Amino acid sequence: MLAPGDLIFHPRHGFGTISGMTRRDPIRPIQDVVVSDGVTDLAQDYYDIQLTNGGTLLVPVNRAKRVGLRRLTNGLDAITLCLQLPAQSLSGDARERAAELWARGQVGEPTALAASVRDMVAQSRGRAHTASEREWLNKSCERLSTEAALVDGISKSQAHAAIWEAVKQLSTI
């Protein structure tokens, strides 16, 4: 269970912080539920999340895992360590490879994205990245940098530089 103050990642909405919990009635979702005698059958508990890029998100507690909401755990050390592990092979077909990388990025496992970056860079050694591979790589490294910066309490630019240095080393192995 997540708690107020936890740094989180939502696969669709990005990074944020749990600011609290709220109880809402799905029939009257705008109003906070006033529980009489401590019992209500319709009310649900929600995580109240302040998104890093602005805005607020309510996620039902009972659906948090299903939608992929997770606590941030990947600091810079964990990410760079994953990037240094032996690569796994990817499909030689560009469309299949793109689909596999996208699917891996949706997995809730915190190191799955770093492993996907490692595998894609290793697979493309000796050839130029396609435009879609460059875009995917840039977005993936941006997401990894944001998580590392939030977890470690460092600047995003510092995390970004360290992750790109590790990626460059992968390219030359």
Side-chain angles (χ1 to χ4, degrees), residues 35 43 46 57 77 84 89 104 108 120 125 143 155 172:
V35 180
Y46 289 80
L57 178 66
D77 290 342
Q84 294 167 1
S89 64
R104 285 189 193 182
M120 194 277 286
R125 274 189 214 119
R143 187 170 128 193
S155 73
T172 59

Side-chain angles (χ1 to χ4, degrees), residues 55-98:
T56 301
L57 178 66
L58 292 176
V59 175
V61 171
N62 64 351
R63 291 191 200 147
K65 188 173 183 176
R66 193 172 339 137
V67 299
L69 188 68
R70 67 170 178 83
R71 182 180 288 115
L72 298 188
T73 59
N74 286 341
L76 197 51
D77 290 342
I79 292 168
T80 55
L81 177 65
C82 186
L83 290 171
Q84 294 167 1
L85 293 173
Q88 297 178 355
S89 64
L90 294 168
S91 173
D93 179 75
R95 287 179 190 244
E96 288 177 14
R97 185 172 53 250

Side-chain angles (χ1 to χ4, degrees), residues 37-52:
D37 299 328
V39 178
T40 180
D41 290 334
L42 300 177
Q44 293 181 3
D45 291 324
Y46 289 80
Y47 291 118
D48 190 349
I49 301 168
Q50 286 300 127
L51 297 171
T52 303

